[in-house]
Structure formats: structure tokens, C-alpha cells
Amino acid sequence: MTTCRPLVVYGVGAIGGVIAARLRLAGFGVTAVARGEHLDAIRLRGLTLVTQAGTDAVALPAAAGAAEVDWSIGPVVILAVKSHQTASALDDLSAHAPPETPVFVAQNGVANEVAALRRFANVYGVTVMLPAAHLDPGVVIQQSHPVAGILDLGRYPSGHDEPAEQVSAALRESGFDSLVRDDVMAWKHRKLIANLGNGVIAAYRPGPDADELVARARTEAEHVLTSAGIPFVTAEQDALRRGDLLQGRVNDDYLSSTWQSVARGHTQVETDWFNGEIVLQARLHGLHAPVNALIQRVTAEHARVGRPVRSLDAAAALRKLGSESHPRQPRSTQPASV
């Protein structure tokens, strides 16, 4: 068994829950940080992990926050909350965890690493390719089997070291595929491009028009990132890495993480850190990103007012966008200096 420091999985929803459960089943020391009914259920009956192979009730020490974690044993943190919860999670962690604590950012989006680096000296990016779901308290669903997911990681902003190697090895022993990468953020930016469709999946009825909206958002993002000089791996590299590792689903009705948030009635979603990241980079470099701006705005409103999932007409969105399928420079703004 790999020698690995104890692990604190901060946020055990769909992604963090599957990671925590699989690490614990493999024999690693894990503490889960959860809240509300989910925390109560884990404390009462363990964290239930549902896979294609069956169901496991995984006994996990569970904490309501960082104050209840034993930091004297020098644990590693796997941060797995949604991006809009990162600020409060880092507030909590920095109040109790030593500043040298390694923090592995197992979150979608690319803004969480830099936020963590403001508080902690040792930060690692994790590219999350892990089909999972969490809709009921105390229960997480691992959709892919037998490989639970792909969790490539590396030191932020680049490089690798012994903690990265140890955590990657522990993940491999726990049923994940994991490589240590010096350029992990280039891979996370490709995952960001993939996540730009999450808001469409949550808000718009499926069909060719919704597919077109997603395709425009991704094309626009590649143009913006290229213009900004931000490296990202190609779609072909991503497809080659995924291969046929992520197989099957326990339930085909459980879709993207944003869909799950809207389905559970959450009023906040992550699109500010997905589509909003592309909008931000466009504005920083004197460009417009109208497709991603529309998806960002519409999905946030969809969640805020509590509309049903997949209830909007994507054809109306395409009509509103017209021919604006590529970012362009604002008429009155010169490209920003970099």
C-alpha cells in the first residue's frame, strides 16, 4: 500500500464523495467535511457509495468544518466544493489548517488554484474527469466502472513533487486513473472548455439547437484562450487521455453537475467560473464573448428564480445571438496590454 499522509476531503458531494469513499475503501485515512443533512446522514449510517458493482456503506469520520479536523497529524486537503463555495471553504481552512498544508484542488474551473495559493503555499491542480452524482443526503453515485474516474494532478502553477506523487499513487490504488503532470493547468483549461456546456444542459431543452449553442460556446472559448496566450491541450489529446476508461452510467437521468444543482433547487451555480471565466478573459484582452456571456447570465438566473431543469428554448438563444459565433474586439476598446 502506498505511503500517504491522512487526507481531508473538504466537500463530499458528487466528486468529493466518490473520492473520499474510494480512498477509505482502499484503506487510506480519510476525514470528510460536509454540512447539513448530508453530514447528519454520513454520521448516522456512513457515506453510501452506489456503483455498477453494488452499494457500499463507507464509515467515514465526518466534520462540520475545519475546526473539527485534527491538523496535528499533518493531513493533505482535497478541496472538492463547488467554485462558488471556494471562498468560504478557504476562509474556514486558513483559520485552522497550517499554511504549509498541501491543498489539492479537485474542482472544475481554473480560478480556484490561485485563490488557494493566496492562503496556502503548496497548491495542486486536479483535472476532474469523474462522472458522478449526488442528489440525496448521505448518498453519492459513481457512474463509471470499473475505473471510477481520471484524476490527473500537478503542482500549481506547474511542476511536481513528492506529495503529488503520493496522492496520485493513492488515487490509483483507490480505483482512479491518475498521472502527475507538470502542465496540469493546460489540461484543466481543456476541461473548462468541456464544462461550458453544463449551463446549457441545465437550462435548455436538449436537441440540435442546444448542441449548436454548446459548440459555439466552445469555439468562442478556444479563440479567447488562444488570444489571451493561455495554453490548453487539444481536444484530440483529451480524447486520447480519456480513451475508453470512463464506461457506463448507473443512472442516465443524472447529468452535469450544474444540472444536479438546479435539480436540487440550489439558487447558485458554477457558471460564473465556467462561462464567466471565458467572459473575464475576453474582457481582459479587449474581446467580446457573447455566447458564453449569454449562457452565464441565463443559467444563473435560471437557478436563482427556481425554473425547472431543461425548460428553455435554445432556438430563441441562437436567434438572440444571431451571427455572433466568434468573439470580437469591442468597437471602443483597444486590446488590453499583457
Side-chain angles (χ1 to χ4, degrees), residues 51-65:
T51 73
Q52 293 178 48
T55 300
D56 290 289
V58 183
L60 276 174

Side-chain angles (χ1 to χ4, degrees), residues 172-186:
R172 290 194 297 273
E173 288 189 24
S174 303
F176 301 96
D177 199 298
S178 179
L179 298 174
V180 178
R181 296 189 179 277
D182 288 340
D183 61 343
V184 68
M185 295 311 294

Side-chain angles (χ1 to χ4, degrees), residues 258-329:
T258 307
W259 178 92
Q260 292 176 44
S261 293
V262 175
R264 294 172 66 194
H266 291 183
T267 58
Q268 287 185 297
V269 289
E270 287 186 286
T271 43
D272 282 347
W273 285 265
F274 296 168
N275 308 86
E277 180 68 27
I278 303 305
V279 173
L280 171 63
Q281 292 302 328
R283 290 170 178 166
L284 287 173
H285 294 85
L287 301 169
H288 283 313
V291 182
N292 282 284
L294 182 143
I295 296 169
Q296 176 190 8
R297 185 172 60 253
V298 168
T299 310
E301 180 187 11
H302 200 83
R304 187 171 58 250
V305 303
R307 292 195 185 102
V309 292
R310 315 195 92 177
S311 58
L312 298 182
D313 180 12
L318 292 175
R319 287 193 297 271
K320 184 173 183 179
L321 288 167
S323 61
E324 290 189 283
S325 58
H326 300 288
R328 55 182 174 80
Q329 292 183 9

Side-chain angles (χ1 to χ4, degrees), residues 169-290:
L171 291 169
R172 290 194 297 273
E173 288 189 24
S174 303
F176 301 96
D177 199 298
S178 179
L179 298 174
V180 178
R181 296 189 179 277
D182 288 340
D183 61 343
V184 68
M185 295 311 294
W187 290 85
K188 291 203 71 164
H189 275 89
R190 169 51 61 183
K191 181 63 192 308
L192 170 67
I193 295 169
N195 286 133
L196 299 177
N198 284 22
V200 177
I201 292 169
Y204 291 94
R205 290 188 291 275
D209 292 323
D211 294 342
E212 172 66 16
L213 191 58
V214 173
R216 286 196 189 190
R218 290 172 176 166
T219 299
E220 183 179 84
E222 291 191 1
H223 183 97
V224 167
L225 294 176
T226 299
S227 299
I230 297 172
F232 56 92
V233 301
T234 66
E236 291 74 20
Q237 288 173 290
D238 181 66
L240 183 64
R241 178 65 182 107
R242 291 171 184 263
D244 59 359
L245 291 174
L246 306 179
Q247 295 292 318
R249 283 184 175 271
V250 174
N251 191 322
D252 288 333
D253 293 332
Y254 296 163
L255 302 173
S256 73
S257 59
T258 307
W259 178 92
Q260 292 176 44
S261 293
V262 175
R264 294 172 66 194
H266 291 183
T267 58
Q268 287 185 297
V269 289
E270 287 186 286
T271 43
D272 282 347
W273 285 265
F274 296 168
N275 308 86
E277 180 68 27
I278 303 305
V279 173
L280 171 63
Q281 292 302 328
R283 290 170 178 166
L284 287 173
H285 294 85
L287 301 169
H288 283 313

Side-chain angles (χ1 to χ4, degrees), residues 97-116:
E100 66 275 10
T101 300
V103 177
F104 286 77
V105 179
Q107 299 170 272
N108 288 319
V110 294
N112 300 298
E113 284 81 3
V114 68

Side-chain angles (χ1 to χ4, degrees), residues 154-179:
R155 192 171 176 91
Y156 179 80
S158 62
H160 64 277
D161 57 13
E162 185 176 358
E165 297 286 355
Q166 289 181 349
V167 171
S168 182
L171 291 169
R172 290 194 297 273
E173 288 189 24
S174 303
F176 301 96
D177 199 298
S178 179
L179 298 174

